[in-house]
Amino acid sequence: MRSLRYIPILLLMHICSKSNAQQQATILEKPYSFIIADGEISRLQQRNDTLQWLHGRLYDVSQTKNLIALEWEVSKQYKIRTSQHKDSLWYLALERLDSIPLSADPLPEDRFSVIALHQGNGQQVGIVQLAIGLNEQALDSTVSSFIDHKELFFTTYFCDAQWKVFGSLRTIETKDDALQIREKLQSDEVKDWLRLYESNPVKDIYGTGLTTELLNRISIAMGYNPIGASKILQHLHQE
């Protein structure tokens, strides 16, 4: 039998990585997608010990019937370093696997982060960033510091079956429809969500994710299809 010292180091790393992947809990048994403005979609899926964020685009509402058939590009990949589960929340320590192109430091020390993932009824999951720009040594203590952090505002990702439901909802068509949605966006309920968002440790720099999440929630609650809602509202406002 060949000595272990003759096994290439990369093969050893692959074996160790595969072993760790097999031990990692399956947190997402299916993909979930977030509705971005103007037909863009962010899709989250787990592959063994890796979380992948994909990017795709809808050109027609009928495509909601088969999201898996869309052309998807991997935009970000993270290795799940550790995971802790309490109540309905997963706390995940992540290491970004994507290198920074044309950089003198393609894998910087601060490539680690922490997120919380809320699992509801299986139709949707909520995601919130708890910490970014961490080094490896800070991971464990950072995760522990957020356990039982109750005040969080989550971005909602929906399973493919739920997207089919959205495709069957009524579309925003009239200025009256738009007015009702805009009034709802000024409601006390939305103000409560904004206050909750302010307690998030990491904010959305440009506010686009927050704005989209609010519009998605309101559209769905009022029985409207949230897909493309932002573009329709903008068009009706300009008429």
Side-chain angles (χ1 to χ4, degrees):
M1 182 180 293
R2 296 180 62 186
S3 171
L4 183 62
R5 63 189 178 91
Y6 290 107
I7 299 178
I9 186 64
L10 289 178
L11 178 58
L12 282 174
M13 292 174 65
H14 173 74
I15 293 172
C16 292
S17 175
K18 187 174 181 180
S19 175
N20 289 337
Q22 291 173 341
Q23 296 174 12
Q24 185 57 249
T26 300
I27 299 164
L28 298 177
E29 296 185 352
K30 53 190 174 185
Y32 294 84
S33 303
F34 175 62
I35 305 164
I36 308 177
D38 301 335
E40 292 185 85
I41 308 172
S42 176
R43 190 168 176 87
L44 176 62
Q45 63 184 20
Q46 181 178 357
R47 291 290 183 267
N48 297 321
D49 67 342
T50 302
L51 282 184
Q52 294 180 326
W53 267 265
L54 313 178
H55 181 269
R57 176 178 285 275
L58 284 174
Y59 295 96
D60 188 272
V61 173
S62 64
Q63 292 178 289
T64 57
K65 297 177 181 178
N66 190 16
L67 286 185
I68 198 171
L70 297 183
E71 293 185 7
W72 296 102
E73 294 182 356
V74 177
S75 58
K76 293 179 290 186
Q77 297 191 91
Y78 294 86
K79 177 182 175 65
I80 303 173
R81 296 295 298 264
T82 64
S83 60
Q84 297 186 47
H85 185 258
K86 185 170 183 180
D87 299 327
S88 59
L89 289 180
W90 282 97
Y91 299 90
L92 307 180
L94 305 177
E95 176 185 2
R96 184 158 186 174
L97 301 178
D98 311 289
S99 61
I100 302 175
L102 304 178
S103 171
D105 188 15
L107 290 174
E109 291 186 359
D110 62 352
R111 64 184 183 275
F112 300 90
S113 59
V114 178
I115 68 170
L117 187 150
H118 178 268
Q119 289 181 308
N121 56 8
Q123 300 300 308
Q124 63 191 56
V125 296
I127 304 288
V128 62
Q129 285 187 318
L130 298 179
I132 58 176
L134 302 174
N135 59 39
E136 187 173 6
Q137 291 71 32
L139 272 182
D140 290 341
S141 60
T142 302
V143 172
S144 299
S145 69
F146 284 109
I147 302 295
D148 295 326
H149 189 93
K150 300 297 184 184
E151 299 297 315
L152 292 170
F153 180 86
F154 291 86
T155 298
T156 312
Y157 286 66
F158 297 94
C159 71
D160 288 8
Q162 197 61 37
W163 277 70
K164 294 179 182 179
V165 174
F166 296 152
S168 67
L169 296 178
R170 57 179 173 155
T171 303
I172 301 168
E173 295 181 341
T174 67
K175 287 189 175 182
D176 185 57
D177 292 338
L179 179 61
Q180 291 183 49
I181 291 176
R182 294 184 189 281
E183 289 177 348
K184 188 66 175 177
L185 285 170
Q186 303 298 320
S187 67
D188 289 340
E189 181 179 26
V190 172
K191 292 176 182 178
D192 288 341
W193 290 341
L194 289 173
R195 281 191 288 268
L196 190 60
Y197 171 78
E198 286 302 316
S199 67
N200 281 7
V202 179
K203 304 295 190 298
D204 179 0
I205 296 177
Y206 301 106
T208 53
L210 170 62
T211 302
T212 303
E213 174 67 16
L214 294 175
L215 181 55
N216 291 345
R217 291 187 182 191
I218 291 302
S219 297
I220 294 168
M222 295 180 68
Y224 290 105
N225 183 353
I227 302 167
S230 176
K231 187 174 183 178
I232 296 173
L233 288 175
Q234 184 178 9
H235 175 73
L236 289 172
H237 179 70
Q238 293 173 346
E239 285 186 346

